[in-house]
Amino acid sequence: MFVDGNEQASGEIDLSASRALPSEINAGTASVSNSGTHTIEVVVSVDDIESGASRDYQSFNKGASFAPLVVVLVFAVTTHMVELSLGLGVFVGACMVSGTITDGFKTTLDTYILEALASVDHGFVYLFALFMSGMVGMLERSGGLIGITDVSTLYYIVLML
């Protein structure tokens, strides 16, 4: 395995007993000391035939993981829109992981939203939140929320006496 052209790990698998190729190969682990874009390349050789694959990865300093959190907090405090703030935090994190704004937008939609909606368990959570917010909205519109607070205030006063 090569990281930015420098060999980080190597290994061998003995195929003399069986010429069947394994279903997976552990390429080892690699670490980088600085942030930025790094190219990781894995080369597999069988007899005289070589095959390889490479991909670019982003690495960040330790403090960069707080950026989406700071964005969520600042946006939620200034706009009082928690759902939109959380969505913006997911978008900022996806942009950091994918490397560009357009790839971050695509990753936000297909990985973090569509895959979450495809899960049955997540669907139940969304429905519960939707129905609960609908019930609170109906109570607030009908004046029932004020009645509930008035009754509960009397109950708490009696308990304190």
Side-chain angles (χ1 to χ4, degrees), residues 1 10 19 29 36 40 48 52 61 73 89 91 100-101 103 110 117 121 138:
M1 175 171 45
S10 64
R19 294 296 288 178
T29 59
I40 297 181
D48 294 334
N61 291 330
L73 291 175
F91 174 69
T100 63
I101 292 176
D103 288 343
D110 66 5
L117 288 174
D121 295 331
M138 286 176 41

Side-chain angles (χ1 to χ4, degrees), residues 110-127:
D110 66 5
T111 301
Y112 298 113
I113 294 178
L114 291 179
E115 286 185 15
L117 288 174
S119 171
V120 173
D121 295 331
H122 290 165
F124 286 130
V125 172
Y126 295 140
L127 287 175

Side-chain angles (χ1 to χ4, degrees), residues 37-110:
T37 303
H38 301 282
T39 302
I40 297 181
E41 181 180 10
V42 176
V43 178
V44 177
S45 301
V46 177
D47 294 331
D48 294 334
I49 302 170
E50 280 193 0
S51 179
S54 66
R55 184 171 175 193
D56 291 336
Y57 289 95
Q58 296 283 331
S59 66
F60 300 99
N61 291 330
K62 297 174 188 173
S65 62
F66 289 111
L69 176 65
V70 170
V71 168
V72 167
L73 291 175
V74 168
F75 200 71
V77 167
T78 57
T79 64
H80 303 289
M81 299 172 72
V82 176
E83 295 86 3
L84 190 62
S85 302
L86 290 172
L88 185 64
V90 169
F91 174 69
V92 168
C95 288
M96 289 175 63
V97 169
S98 63
T100 63
I101 292 176
T102 55
D103 288 343
F105 183 72
K106 291 175 190 174
T107 303
T108 300
L109 289 180
D110 66 5

Side-chain angles (χ1 to χ4, degrees), residues 140-158:
E140 187 178 351
R141 293 273 181 175
S142 67
L145 201 56
I146 294 172
I148 289 174
T149 56
D150 289 344
V151 169
S152 63
T153 304
L154 292 174
Y155 179 72
Y156 292 129
I157 290 173
V158 169

